[in-house]
Amino acid sequence: MRLFHALRDANKFRSVFDFGGREVAHWFPGHMAKGLKQMRANLKNVDCVVEIHDARIPFSGRNPVFEDTLNVKPHLLILNKMDLADVSKKQRVLRSLEKSGVKNVLFTDCLKQRDTSIKKVVPMVMEIIEESPRFNRAENTNYCLMVIGVPNVGKSSLINALRRTNLKKGRASRVGGEPGITKAVLTKIQVSERPRMYLLDTPGVFPPRIESVETGMKLALCGTILDHLVGEDVIADYLLYSLNRLGNFSYVEKYSLQEPSDDIQYVLKRIAVKLGKTQRVTAITGVGNINVTIPNYTAAAFDFIRVFRKGELGQVMLD
């Protein structure tokens, strides 16, 4: 009965997130002009563009500037981190993308040691290339792909997975859990022997302007923007809002809460208590200073975000 009342009360939770009047241009970073310029300059050496994006946000945050690039080259969209996404919505995503003109789509989990989807990449790319003229590259027996995307969606992981699967070799690109790992522009790396195929690794590039604060928050929640640029407390609150809106109350059991809540301060306090994350501060009183122990809300917010990104709060689709 208590659970019933808790879920009934969940209907009163926020239906809209209050961004506090923040403006996108002042909150989220713009695009990386140098990287985009060099990508365009090297298109003549490319047979196919491989765009990689986070499967949890298949529509939000894809760089519209890339569309200029995609219009002149064959294109494969890889939605990575499918292990973290709600795959029950996969067909809906594919139908929506096809309506927008994106027909070649592949879901992958590049960190998985044996991902059968990775084996499909080279055959799909070859099929896509053969359907389009190669113009100045018609006599070249080697194939060159350019991998593009916003930061921290798995570009380097894709390259390493392709090398592991097709060449039985170790990683060639550094992989990290936060955006900004790949700094070099257009590093050429072999990913297949038959056919001989190379990938141009590129740094993540944001759009010149993120379309909305909501889109920016989804990107931040999925780790494509450095947390401190937005604020862990804001990201944690948006995460709580998103989970409640999706009817995903897995955080209740994860952190031993009594019931779902729409109050981020309450949730973070309970997380801090459960994890033993506290801090001592000095309180100034009328009779002198005293030391008090309070919950460490920042550490709790960090853990809340971390377990979401690791998939410990269940598979979600934010779009």
Side-chain angles (χ1 to χ4, degrees):
M1 183 63 70
R2 183 171 186 172
L3 177 61
F4 169 78
H5 287 298
L7 295 178
R8 183 188 63 185
D9 292 340
N11 293 327
K12 302 176 184 177
F13 289 173
R14 291 169 291 179
S15 59
V16 177
F17 189 81
D18 181 11
F19 294 105
R22 293 178 173 89
E23 294 183 13
V24 180
H26 297 153
W27 205 11
F28 298 105
H31 72 313
M32 295 72 168
K34 178 182 176 182
L36 192 60
K37 183 178 180 180
Q38 292 193 26
M39 290 180 206
R40 285 171 171 163
N42 280 269
L43 269 180
K44 61 181 180 295
N45 302 318
V46 172
D47 297 299
C48 181
V49 172
V50 177
E51 179 189 0
I52 185 165
H53 199 61
D54 195 311
R56 292 170 293 182
I57 46 173
F59 309 111
S60 291
R62 289 181 59 210
N63 193 337
V65 176
F66 290 153
E67 293 182 10
D68 295 335
T69 300
L70 305 181
N71 285 337
V72 297
K73 288 292 178 180
H75 170 231
L76 170 64
L77 173 61
I78 290 181
L79 294 174
N80 192 35
K81 304 184 182 182
M82 65 175 294
D83 58 310
L84 304 177
D86 184 354
V87 292
S88 68
K89 299 180 180 179
K90 180 178 177 180
Q91 292 305 315
R92 178 182 65 81
V93 170
L94 292 174
R95 286 193 298 269
S96 296
L97 288 170
E98 187 171 5
K99 287 181 180 179
S100 65
V102 182
K103 297 181 180 180
N104 303 306
V105 183
L106 185 64
F107 285 80
T108 63
D109 174 11
C110 292
L111 290 180
K112 189 176 181 180
Q113 285 297 310
R114 297 193 179 187
D115 180 10
T116 55
S117 298
I118 294 297
K119 296 180 179 179
K120 300 177 182 178
V121 173
V122 171
M124 281 189 70
V125 165
M126 289 303 300
E127 184 178 343
I128 293 169
I129 292 174
E130 289 169 359
E131 292 177 350
S132 305
R134 294 182 74 197
F135 298 113
N136 62 308
R137 292 184 52 78
E139 302 301 322
N140 199 321
T141 57
N142 296 339
Y143 296 91
C144 184
L145 318 178
M146 181 184 289
V147 59
I148 62 176
V150 297
N152 201 32
V153 289
K155 295 183 296 297
S156 296
S157 296
L158 170 66
I159 293 173
N160 293 334
L162 286 170
R163 284 175 57 82
R164 183 172 64 242
T165 300
N166 299 322
L167 300 176
K168 311 303 179 187
K169 292 185 178 181
R171 71 183 190 180
S173 291
R174 184 182 169 198
V175 176
E178 61 180 36
I181 292 297
T182 301
K183 304 283 187 185
V185 177
L186 301 176
T187 303
K188 192 174 183 178
I189 303 168
Q190 185 176 358
V191 293
S192 175
E193 180 61 36
R194 295 182 182 178
R196 185 176 288 268
M197 187 174 290
Y198 296 88
L199 255 177
L200 295 179
D201 192 10
T202 64
V205 177
F206 280 115
R209 179 178 173 84
I210 293 176
E211 61 189 44
S212 69
V213 177
E214 186 90 31
T215 294
M217 281 304 306
K218 290 177 182 178
L219 288 168
L221 185 53
C222 291
T224 68
I225 297 172
L226 291 170
D227 291 346
H228 72 268
L229 296 177
V230 181
E232 287 86 352
D233 56 335
V234 180
I235 298 174
D237 193 18
Y238 186 76
L239 171 57
L240 179 63
Y241 159 77
S242 299
L243 292 174
N244 286 336
R245 184 173 56 87
L246 294 170
N248 180 343
F249 304 119
S250 55
Y251 64 90
V252 175
E253 181 178 358
K254 175 69 178 179
Y255 292 112
S256 303
L257 274 66
Q258 294 183 341
E259 59 188 22
S261 174
D262 199 31
D263 182 352
I264 188 60
Q265 292 300 311
Y266 166 77
V267 172
L268 292 182
K269 181 178 180 180
R270 298 305 306 167
I271 293 175
V273 171
K274 179 175 176 60
L275 300 180
K277 302 288 186 179
T278 59
Q279 57 186 350
R280 293 183 65 81
V281 298
T282 300
I284 301 176
T285 69
V287 292
N289 300 342
I290 61 172
N291 293 324
V292 296
T293 300
I294 64 172
N296 189 329
Y297 290 98
T298 300
F302 178 81
D303 192 80
F304 192 30
I305 297 166
R306 179 187 63 82
V307 298
F308 165 75
R309 290 175 180 165
K310 290 180 64 177
E312 295 180 17
L313 297 180
Q315 297 174 315
V316 302
M317 190 81 77
L318 298 174
D319 280 314

